Amino acid sequence: EVQLLESGGDLVQPGGSLRLSCAASGFTFSRSSMAWVRQAPGRGLEWVSTIRADGVTTHYADSVKGRFTISRDNSKNTLYLQMDSLGGEDTAEYYCAKAQGVIDPFDYWGQGTLVTVSS
Amino acid sequence: QSALTQPASVSGSPGQSITISCTGTSSDIGGYNFVSWYQQHPGKAPKLMIYDVSNRPSGVSNRFSGSKSGYTASLTISGLQAEDEADYYCSSYASGSTVIFGGGTKLTVL
């Protein structure tokens, strides 16, 4: 059974940083592209970033480019999202997702971790 | 990267069919056959229902079908059931190796 378990969500001040983690199991993590998708309270889904299986090729939404960094440790079956220069617009539930293809679609999702940016 | 355009809400009675539209541009829906649809119940994670315009993942009911014409993709749900009441999101691969979602459609089963 595929399982994705996010952690690291917290209350952080504007301008601060946070690192999210996603522990994966039940599939060959090292062969799968992985992604982060977020959802602001009461709003729709927004793709944030995808990292390919090789851990080298990454893709970002314009809204986070230069502030967020996606990475992975295939030896630990873990996906990360380093978030810097956080602003109120980054407040959201952050979902870890497994990509069925190179970049999408997302066939398995975690339950999410909440990031709140507020002073 | 503007969101794909979906109606805010649709409704239907049990047993009826409904269709949700999703409109994009030549840089996303119109340029690629990589449209997906997700179902999200309140407080739950999204679930993939359709990928590559019209393919259903294993385990998804054949009451769900997808299509595309030009810049508009559509999700049709036939034989509506109470459990289908949820939010539905379309998404598309877009130029520049990005992914764009629609704003979401709330389906109400009357």
Side-chain angles (χ1 to χ4, degrees):
Chain A
E1 178 191 6
V2 172
Q3 290 193 335
L4 299 170
L5 184 59
E6 304 95 334
S7 61
D10 204 347
L11 172 63
V12 60
Q13 291 191 340
S17 298
L18 203 61
R19 188 173 90 151
L20 305 182
S21 299
C22 172
S25 61
F27 65 101
T28 308
F29 181 79
S30 61
R31 295 182 183 175
S32 300
S33 291
M34 298 294 296
W36 290 97
V37 177
R38 69 184 180 183
Q39 185 170 34
R43 305 293 296 274
L45 301 173
E46 180 187 15
W47 171 76
V48 173
S49 180
T50 295
I51 184 168
R52 301 196 187 191
D54 62 8
V56 175
T57 307
T58 58
H59 310 278
Y60 296 94
D62 286 346
S63 58
V64 306
K65 197 173 297 183
R67 300 188 300 121
F68 289 12
T69 303
I70 191 171
S71 62
R72 62 193 295 163
D73 186 335
N74 286 345
S75 69
K76 295 182 178 180
N77 286 359
T78 302
L79 175 72
Y80 303 100
L81 184 68
Q82 176 67 40
M83 303 185 294
D84 299 318
S85 302
L86 286 162
E89 70 278 10
D90 298 314
T91 293
E93 191 83 23
Y94 283 74
Y95 293 101
C96 165
K98 172 185 169 293
Q100 181 174 280
V102 174
I103 293 179
D104 77 320
F106 310 118
D107 53 356
Y108 292 96
W109 298 65
Q111 286 306 302
T113 187
L114 181 62
V115 173
T116 302
V117 183
S118 176
S119 56
Chain B
Q1 292 178 335
S2 298
L4 303 174
T5 300
Q6 297 181 235
S9 63
V10 298
S11 63
S13 300
Q16 289 186 330
S17 294
I18 63 95
T19 296
I20 300 172
S21 62
C22 172
T23 302
T25 69
S26 59
S27 297
D28 39 68
I29 292 177
Y32 309 94
N33 289 320
F34 296 135
V35 178
S36 302
W37 290 90
Y38 299 88
Q39 175 192 67
Q40 186 180 35
H41 288 108
K44 300 294 187 181
K47 175 186 177 182
L48 179 65
M49 305 301 285
I50 295 287
Y51 67 96
D52 293 353
V53 177
S54 60
N55 293 304
R56 278 189 309 276
S58 175
V60 172
S61 171
N62 60 9
R63 298 185 299 105
F64 292 81
S65 62
S67 62
K68 189 190 92 165
S69 177
Y71 298 167
T72 298
S74 299
L75 173 71
T76 298
I77 308 174
S78 59
L80 266 181
Q81 299 179 1
E83 66 204 49
D84 299 332
E85 185 162 295
D87 293 327
Y88 290 85
Y89 295 90
C90 60
S91 77
S92 176
Y93 174 86
S95 58
S97 297
T98 60
V99 179
I100 186 168
F101 280 93
T105 298
K106 181 177 179 60
L107 169 62
T108 300
V109 180
L110 302 171

